[in-house]
Amino acid sequence: MLIPKPAQSAYENADTDIREMLDRMIAELQAAPSWEQRSTQFLEIIDALELAFEGDEDADDEYDDGADGLDTAALDEDDLDDDDEFDGDEFDDEDDEYVEEQAAADGKVNGWHGDDVVPADDGDDDAVVVEEFADVLPFYVGAVLERLGETKIERPEQAAFYLLSCHPEHTEAAQSWLEKGANMKRFQKFVDETPDYEAILEMMDDRYGEEDDDEDEDE
C-alpha cells in the first residue's frame, strides 16, 4: 500500500531541541534491518519518551536532552481535534474483534489525528501545556515516520505504527493496507503477540474514550 507524503510536516514544525531528539530516534530505526526489529526499537523509544514525559528519573539517558522539551511541550488548542474522537470502546485482549471493529469504524482506526499537525512549543501565547502522553505521542510517531520516507506499507508491524501517526495520510494508508486480504488477521496476530503495543492502544482508547464520555455528559 502506497504511503502519500503528508501535506504538513510535524518534523519541520518542531523546535530545534525536539528535532535533534527526533534525529536520534530516526537514526536508530533506520539502522534496524527490518520492521520486525524496527518495531521492537520503536516500542523502546516510545517507552523512553513516556518516561521522560512523566519526569521519571530512571528514563533512558539517551533521551534526557529532550526530556524538558517533552515535559513542557505545548500545543495550540486548534491543533487538538475534538470533533473526531475514538469511539470509547474499551480494548479487550480476549476479544480479537476489537481491532477489526476499530479499523472499520467510520473509515478510521483512531481519533487522535486532526487536520493540522501538532507542533511543539513555539512560544505561542495561546498554547496549552499537554498533560497526557497520549496527546503528544501521535506527533512524535508522525514526525519520525515522515522522516523515514517510506513509500509502501508491507508488514503488520509497520502498519501498527502508521496507525498511531498524527498524519491522516499515514493512518489512511495503514487502514487501506488492513483491508487487503488477510492483513487484518496478520495485524491482530501482531497485537496479540506484542503486549507493549497493545498497552499503547489501551492508553489511546482510555484517553479519547474519556473525552467522548465527557461530551456525552455535556449533551
Side-chain angles (χ1 to χ4, degrees), residues 75-151:
L75 313 179
D76 291 337
E77 292 178 347
D78 292 342
D79 291 321
L80 294 178
D81 184 24
D82 293 326
D83 297 328
D84 182 25
E85 304 293 2
F86 221 52
D87 69 2
D89 292 338
E90 183 177 357
F91 189 90
D92 183 353
D93 59 5
E94 296 180 358
D95 183 4
D96 287 351
E97 294 181 359
Y98 174 86
V99 175
E100 186 171 359
E101 289 172 356
Q102 293 303 323
D106 298 326
K108 293 184 174 63
V109 292
N110 65 41
W112 48 86
H113 71 267
D115 294 333
D116 297 323
V117 172
V118 176
D121 187 8
D122 58 3
D124 192 331
D125 292 338
D126 295 329
V128 292
V129 175
V130 176
E131 298 180 352
E132 297 284 344
F133 181 62
D135 288 332
V136 76
L137 175 61
F139 163 75
Y140 287 100
V141 173
V144 167
L145 291 176
E146 73 176 67
R147 297 298 285 184
L148 287 180
E150 296 180 315
T151 59

Side-chain angles (χ1 to χ4, degrees), residues 11 22-35 37-39 41-42 45 143-150:
Y11 179 88
L22 289 169
D23 288 341
R24 295 197 296 275
M25 299 176 192
I26 293 161
E28 286 187 25
L29 295 176
Q30 288 175 330
S34 72
W35 260 101
Q37 290 85 359
R38 184 173 287 177
S39 64
Q41 283 290 100
F42 219 148
I45 286 171
V144 167
L145 291 176
E146 73 176 67
R147 297 298 285 184
L148 287 180
E150 296 180 315

Side-chain angles (χ1 to χ4, degrees), residues 1 4-5 17 44 53 60 69 75 81 132 143 148 154 159 162 176 194 197-198 201 210 216:
M1 182 56 59
K5 182 179 179 180
D17 290 341
E44 291 176 356
F53 183 88
D60 192 341
L75 313 179
D81 184 24
E132 297 284 344
L148 287 180
E154 300 177 303
Y162 277 85
S176 295
T194 315
Y197 181 81
E198 182 179 349
L201 290 184
E210 287 176 2
D216 290 341

